[in-house]
């Protein structure tokens, strides 16, 4: 099983990558870790004429802390996020999310930019990016623009990344005082992807919720913020969690496949939302 | 396209088609057939090799993506006639039956032990998530890796 022929371009800078993308337009695709793109190319579901390999653009793989924000380059592997001392200290939920992706070999190759740009409906990072209100930096030949996670995931495998653009950085606010976050997933036993995955980030004022953010992946065509759960908890104490979590799947057209029916996925979303919220609250107190 | 890399310490330079997968390069061009092809779909782990010390599935990497890297395959583990502690562990603890999965298991375990010299049983099992074995039931594979971990710790301490 091998991909259809293509022309391969290795670049060492974002600028060179952008130039090739604008030269070849729709014919070109970025290659990062290749762990979503190459499987699709082997199945001939994708047949790009040009591959622009950004694997050697090392500055895109950095993880830094700047002015209270954690900046993760688009090319940072899942393994580097999972083991980064900055991420573990400031955004433990994101390190845990990365550690739950696939297996060691996949985490050594797959990148955060590739995962978010690919937007697999069962990918893990989108849920965490939504709950952490991440901000994506997209670069194009005209300059840079920033897109909030809430505006990033548009549909099945479709994001705000336009043709010719590169996702160069994902920026997160470090979890502050009074805030706790958890990512939980029901792992598909064969693929490792999330049958359903829920990221919950809560901020408490005294014993009541000041801010609640819930991101859910795997349930429908795209990851989303469970705003009905968030609203149901506004200003409430944690005894309201169970009732609020029962709204987790409201209004979502749940995916059915041979492994899990839509009904089962919706139930998983409700149960995992409840558990994630309870554990997020426990982490604030801890 | 010209590809330069090092496999098991040997520098190579070969002309390859960009669509050639790393596993086919290793088996058919470098003639190192210890690395196996199982599923071809990045599930089974039979094709696992180390790139710069990290375990990866070589069926889901283009050979050209490995340009400039150092690759280790199962053939690079023993030193002459002296088996690597992982190979010894699989021998001593009966870590294989048909042996098809074994090279991949050993390469993944090598990555694990480089990061964690004293893994728990749970950590070993979790590390092997991406490697399937159809014969052993994994029990003896876990024991083989524990054997190797213990041996590598003592030889480091010595
Ligand atoms: C066996 C296996 C198990 C997996 N299990 C999981 C799992 O449990 N959970 C999970 O979330 N994922 C899982 N994955 C997917 C894995 O995390 C992918 O690596 C990831 O989704 C894509 O990242 P990549 O760097 O490999 O991207 P690539 O495959 O290189 O690219 C994917 C797509 O994104 C585009 N792209 C890549 N980088 C950028 C960028 N910086 N800017 C703009 N566009 C870009 C590419 O053009 C392509 O269209 C699994 C994959 C495999 C093979
Ligand atoms: S052959 Fe590569 S993972 Fe199965
Ligand atoms: S020993 Fe036969 S597949 Fe593992």
């Amino acid at each position: 099983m091998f991909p259809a022929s293509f022309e391969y371009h290795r670049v060492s800078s974002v600028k060179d990558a952008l130039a090739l993308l604008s030269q070849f337009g729709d014919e070109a695709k970025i290659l990062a870790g290749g762990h979503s793109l190459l499987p699709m190319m082997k199945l001939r579901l994708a047949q790009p004429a040009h591959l622009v390999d950004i694997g050697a653009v090392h500055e895109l793989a950095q993880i830094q802390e700047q002015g209270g924000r954690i900046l993760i380059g688009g090319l940072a592997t899942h393994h580097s996020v999972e083991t980064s001392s900055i991420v573990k200290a400031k955004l433990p939920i994101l390190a845990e999310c990365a550690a739950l992706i696939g297996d060691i070999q996949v985490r050594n190759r797959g990148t955060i930019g590739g995962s978010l740009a690919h937007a697999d409906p069962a990918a893990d990072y989108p849920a965490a990016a939504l709950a952490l209100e991440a901000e994506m930096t997209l670069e194009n030949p005209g300059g840079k623009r920033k897109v909030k996670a809430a505006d990033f995931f548009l549909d099945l495998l479709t994001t705000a990344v336009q043709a010719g653009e590169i996702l160069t950085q994902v920026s997160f606010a470090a979890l502050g005082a009074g805030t706790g976050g958890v990512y939980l997933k029901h792992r598909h036993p064969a693929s490792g992807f999330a049958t359903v995955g829920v990221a919950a980030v809560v901020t408490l004022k005294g014993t009541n919720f000041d801010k609640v953010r819930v991101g859910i992946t795997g349930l429908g065509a795209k990851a989303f913020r469970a705003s009905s759960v968030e609203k149901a908890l506004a200003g409430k104490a944690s005894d309201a969690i169970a009732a609020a979590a029962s709204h987790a799947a409201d209004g979502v057209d749940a995916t059915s496949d041979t492994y899990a029916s839509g009904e089962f996925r919706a139930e998983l979303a409700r149960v995992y939302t409840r558990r994630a919220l309870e554990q997020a609250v426990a982490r604030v107190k801890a | 396209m010209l590809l330069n890399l090092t496999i098991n310490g040997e520098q190579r330079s070969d002309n390859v088609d960009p669509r050639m997968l790393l596993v086919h390069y290793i088996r058919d061009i470098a003639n190192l057939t210890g690395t196996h092809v199982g599923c071809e779909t990045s599930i089974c782990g039979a094709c696992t090799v180390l790139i710069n010390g990290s375990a990866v599935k070589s069926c889901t990497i283009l050979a050209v993506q490995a340009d400039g890297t150092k690759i280790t395959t199962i053939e690079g583990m023993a030193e002459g006639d002296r088996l690597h502690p992982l190979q010894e562990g699989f021998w001593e603890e009966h870590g294989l039956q048909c042996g098809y999965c074994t090279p991949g298991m050993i390469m993944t375990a090598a990555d694990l032990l480089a990061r964690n010299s004293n893994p728990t049983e749970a950590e070993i099992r979790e590390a092997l998530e991406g490697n399937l074995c159809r014969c052993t039931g994994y029990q003896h594979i876990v024991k083989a890796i524990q054997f190797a971990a213990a041996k590598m710790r003592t030889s480091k301490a010595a």
Side-chain angles (χ1 to χ4, degrees), chain B residues 9-10 15 18 32 48 56 61 71 79 83-84 96 99 103 113 124 130 132 142:
Chain B
E10 184 206 345
N15 234 319
L32 296 167
T48 303
V56 297
I61 297 176
I71 293 181
E79 279 177 40
L83 292 182
H84 185 279
L96 61 140
L113 295 185
I124 293 174
L132 302 181
V142 173

Side-chain angles (χ1 to χ4, degrees), chain A residues 224-234 243-251:
Chain A
F224 63 98
R225 279 277 289 272
S227 45
S228 41
V229 177
E230 297 176 0
K231 279 193 203 107
L233 286 175
S246 69
H247 296 292
D250 285 6

Side-chain angles (χ1 to χ4, degrees), chain A:
Chain A
M1 219 199 263
F2 45 87
S5 290
F6 53 83
E7 214 172 299
Y8 174 83
H9 311 266
R10 184 182 300 125
V11 296
S12 50
S13 72
V14 172
K15 195 165 148 264
D16 292 350
L18 289 172
L20 286 167
L21 290 179
S22 55
Q23 183 183 343
F24 297 117
D26 283 352
E27 305 259 271
K29 270 212 164 282
I30 293 171
L31 176 66
H35 270 44
S36 291
L37 184 54
L38 292 176
M40 288 188 34
M41 288 174 64
K42 289 204 274 180
L43 294 168
R44 311 286 166 111
L45 293 172
Q47 297 200 15
H50 296 270
L51 277 191
V52 179
D53 184 355
I54 59 170
V57 186
H58 300 296
E59 78 255 24
L60 280 187
Q62 285 173 8
I63 299 177
Q64 321 158 50
E65 187 180 359
Q66 232 172 61
R69 292 192 74 86
I70 315 304
L71 311 178
I72 302 184
L75 202 61
T77 60
H78 308 333
H79 173 70
S80 70
V81 172
E82 169 191 359
T83 54
S84 152
S85 50
I86 297 175
V87 179
K88 283 199 286 192
K90 302 292 165 77
L91 285 171
I93 172 180
L94 195 69
E96 289 163 10
C97 176
L100 290 174
I101 296 173
D103 48 54
I104 287 191
Q105 295 99 313
V106 169
R107 295 196 293 278
N108 279 336
R109 291 299 291 182
T111 67
I112 191 168
S115 176
L116 295 172
H118 186 63
D120 188 292
D124 295 293
Y125 271 139
L130 284 162
L132 290 166
E133 298 184 317
E135 196 175 73
M136 329 293 178
T137 301
L138 304 179
E139 291 195 33
N140 52 50
K144 291 182 186 183
R145 64 189 185 105
K146 297 201 167 167
V147 179
K148 293 192 163 68
D151 304 320
F152 186 79
F153 303 101
L154 302 180
D155 203 345
L156 186 79
L157 304 176
T158 310
T159 69
V161 182
Q162 300 287 316
E165 280 188 323
I166 299 179
L167 172 50
T168 51
Q169 193 175 73
V170 193
S171 156
F172 300 86
L175 292 190
T179 303
V182 170
Y183 176 69
L184 298 179
K185 82 192 264 195
H186 178 95
R187 198 184 181 84
H188 187 290
S191 77
F193 276 89
T195 312
V196 167
V198 179
V201 178
V202 303
T203 306
L204 297 182
K205 209 182 228 168
T207 53
N208 288 19
F209 289 111
D210 187 31
K211 197 168 180 198
V212 177
R213 292 160 284 170
V214 177
I216 300 183
T217 189
L219 181 61
K222 59 166 189 163
F224 63 98
R225 279 277 289 272
S227 45
S228 41
V229 177
E230 297 176 0
K231 279 193 203 107
L233 286 175
K236 301 266 175 59
S238 48
D239 57 3
I241 286 177
S246 69
H247 296 292
D250 285 6
V252 178
D253 185 10
T255 308
S256 279
D257 57 26
T258 46
Y259 175 64
S261 66
E263 217 175 314
F264 179 51
R265 276 197 169 80
E267 182 62 9
L268 285 176
R270 291 186 283 266
V271 171
Y272 277 73
T273 297
R274 175 176 57 73
R275 290 184 191 165
L277 285 165
E278 286 167 356
Q279 292 182 27
V281 169
R283 284 203 175 171
V284 177
K285 289 172 185 159

